[in-house]
């Protein structure tokens, strides 16, 4: 993991109540705003958020949490506004559904003097949040691109599925494209699949109808990868291409472990980062450690050789 502030290391590693500097009587209300479980990764986010809240409430009875999930940006904006107007939150932990629509509302929270932690999908305006917790999206794209170069030393034709329009999607795609420079690999199609299995299925069907030659697919997300694979199977073109997703879904890690030629690898991006963000934000109120900066979690290439290290059979994702 990478850390921008040394204080974050101790805070992140400390178990609730374990350190003498922890104040069990500290009072605060922390709002947590996350996307609804519309696909596997956000399902994992919801699971880990609730787990972290339950653990922190048990350790610190005077900490209150307001958890809201949203299926679209408009609902999330309303959730944040309600937390400010009726719940009098002292801090906000938010994983924005989309960057642009949430930037203004979150800025108003920060301008009101509340502590703000932004997770994963950054805001469109820099410097609003006190703390940023995310996976390394540049590394996610770079590691993916480097794997394509390794698998396709003679070049070839690929298609790319992007996620929801966000700063992290931009970071991933830019790093992926940069890593392919000089490789002879040509991106013949690139479309948004919105990190959604059904949308990815439709996008891949369109790619397959337009391109008679596709050597590989960067799906950039495991849910999208499953939709892509189903489209490829229905077209009867399984033997023509392979697919790289990402995030570490246990179903995909199982396929990597089994040596599935269509899924030769995966790239990690853990949904448990939301729990890290909630715990760090709580530490802002129950410890003396300053909380500010960036907490960035590395992305790792998962292959058959190390798949066991990244396989969690009891995980919801």
């Amino acid at each position: 993991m990478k850390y921008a502030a040394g204080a974050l290391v101790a805070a992140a590693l400390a178990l609730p109540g374990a350190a003498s500097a922890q104040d069990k009587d500290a009072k605060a209300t922390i709002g947590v705003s996350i996307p609804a479980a519309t696909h596997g990764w956000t399902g994992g986010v919801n699971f880990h958020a609730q787990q972290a809240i339950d653990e922190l409430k048990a350790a610190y009875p005077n900490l209150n949490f307001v958890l809201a999930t949203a299926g679209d940006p408009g609902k999330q904006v309303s959730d944040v506004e309600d937390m400010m107007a009726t719940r009098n939150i002292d801090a906000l932990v938010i994983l924005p559904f989309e960057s642009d629509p949430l930037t203004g509302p979150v800025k108003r929270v920060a301008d009101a003097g509340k502590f703000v932690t932004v997770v994963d999908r950054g805001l469109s305006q820099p410097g609003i949040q006190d703390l940023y917790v995310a996976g390394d999206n540049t590394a996610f794209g770079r590691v993916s691109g480097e794997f394509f170069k390794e698998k396709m030393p003679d070049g070839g034709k690929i298609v790319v599925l992007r996620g929801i329009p966000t700063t992290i999607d931009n970071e991933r795609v830019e790093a992926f494209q940069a890593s392919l420079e000089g490789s002879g690999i040509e991106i013949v199609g690139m479309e948004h699949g919105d990190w959604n299995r059904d949308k990815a299925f439709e996008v891949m069907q369109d790619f397959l109808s337009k391109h008679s030659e596709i050597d590989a697919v960067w799906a950039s997300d495991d849910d999208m990868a499953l939709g892509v694979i189903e489209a490829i199977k229905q077209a009867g073109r399984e033997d023509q291409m392979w697919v790289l997703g990402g995030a570490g879904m246990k179903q995909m890690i199982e396929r990597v472990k089994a040596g599935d030629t269509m899924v030769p690898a995966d790239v990690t991006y853990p949904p448990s980062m939301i729990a890290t963000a909630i715990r760090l934000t709580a530490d802002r109120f129950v410890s003396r450690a300053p909380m500010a900066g960036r907490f960035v979690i590395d992305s790792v290439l998962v292959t058959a050789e190390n798949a066991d290290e990244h396989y969690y059979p009891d995980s919801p994702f």
Side-chain angles (χ1 to χ4, degrees):
M1 293 184 182
K2 301 176 182 178
Y3 309 96
L8 296 186
V9 179
L13 297 180
L15 292 174
S20 59
Q22 302 282 305
D23 179 6
K24 282 184 171 290
D25 296 324
K27 295 181 179 180
T29 298
I30 299 173
V32 179
S33 174
I34 56 178
T38 54
H39 67 291
W41 193 83
T42 51
V45 168
N46 278 250
F47 172 83
H48 288 291
Q50 189 62 61
Q51 186 179 63
I53 288 170
D54 291 344
E55 291 175 356
L56 287 164
K57 286 171 69 174
Y60 306 108
N62 289 327
L63 284 186
N64 295 314
F65 293 88
V66 181
L67 174 63
T69 63
D72 59 70
K75 170 65 163 55
Q76 192 172 34
V77 169
S78 297
D79 289 342
V80 171
E81 291 174 343
D82 181 68
M83 288 179 187
M84 287 290 288
T86 69
R87 305 305 294 268
N88 194 29
I89 59 172
D90 300 290
L92 173 68
V93 179
I94 183 166
L95 197 164
F97 198 98
E98 292 181 9
S99 300
D100 289 344
L102 272 302
T103 296
V106 175
K107 186 176 186 301
R108 288 191 286 275
V109 175
D111 288 346
K114 313 300 183 180
F115 187 87
V116 173
T117 299
V118 173
V119 186
D120 182 46
R121 305 170 191 174
L123 301 172
S124 299
Q125 179 180 333
I128 293 174
Q129 70 273 0
D130 299 283
L131 178 63
Y132 179 63
V133 178
D136 190 335
N137 290 286
T138 297
F140 185 94
R142 185 188 69 249
V143 168
S144 299
E146 289 172 349
F147 182 72
F148 271 78
K149 287 197 296 186
E150 178 185 335
K151 286 280 289 181
M152 305 172 69
D154 298 322
K157 299 180 183 296
I158 70 171
V159 294
V160 171
L161 280 81
R162 303 188 60 156
I164 291 172
T166 52
T167 57
I168 69 167
D169 184 64
N170 294 339
E171 291 170 3
R172 291 178 178 187
V173 173
E174 289 167 6
F176 180 78
Q177 291 176 302
S179 70
L180 295 184
E181 291 179 2
S183 67
I185 296 173
E186 179 187 0
I187 299 175
V188 298
M190 183 184 297
E191 297 291 342
H192 286 278
D194 296 345
W195 295 318
N196 179 276
R197 191 178 308 186
D198 293 337
K199 178 69 177 294
F201 174 80
E202 296 172 1
V203 171
M204 192 63 203
Q205 281 187 316
D206 187 51
F207 281 149
L208 291 167
S209 68
K210 290 179 178 178
H211 305 288
S212 59
E213 182 182 350
I214 299 174
D215 299 305
V217 183
W218 186 41
S220 74
D221 171 82
D222 286 335
D223 272 293
M224 290 201 295
L226 290 174
V228 165
I229 290 168
E230 182 58 31
I232 294 170
K233 285 184 175 180
Q234 289 192 18
R237 295 174 65 175
E238 300 99 311
D239 296 333
Q240 298 178 20
M241 64 197 77
W242 51 270
V243 179
L244 180 67
M249 179 190 288
K250 65 181 179 183
Q251 182 177 348
M252 300 302 279
I253 301 300
E254 286 170 355
R255 297 179 76 143
V256 174
K257 278 164 55 77
D260 188 333
T261 56
M262 198 174 209
V263 185
D266 201 61
V267 180
T268 61
Y269 198 80
S272 59
M273 67 179 68
I274 188 67
T276 300
I278 295 169
R279 292 187 177 105
L280 285 169
T281 303
D283 269 334
R284 162 69 172 75
F285 297 95
V286 302
S287 79
R288 301 190 186 99
M291 286 296 132
R294 296 168 59 88
F295 188 102
V296 181
I297 304 166
D298 280 337
S299 286
V300 177
L301 181 71
V302 180
T303 64
E305 288 70 30
N306 67 349
D308 282 332
E309 301 171 22
H310 301 279
Y311 182 56
Y312 305 99
D314 296 329
S315 169
F317 174 70

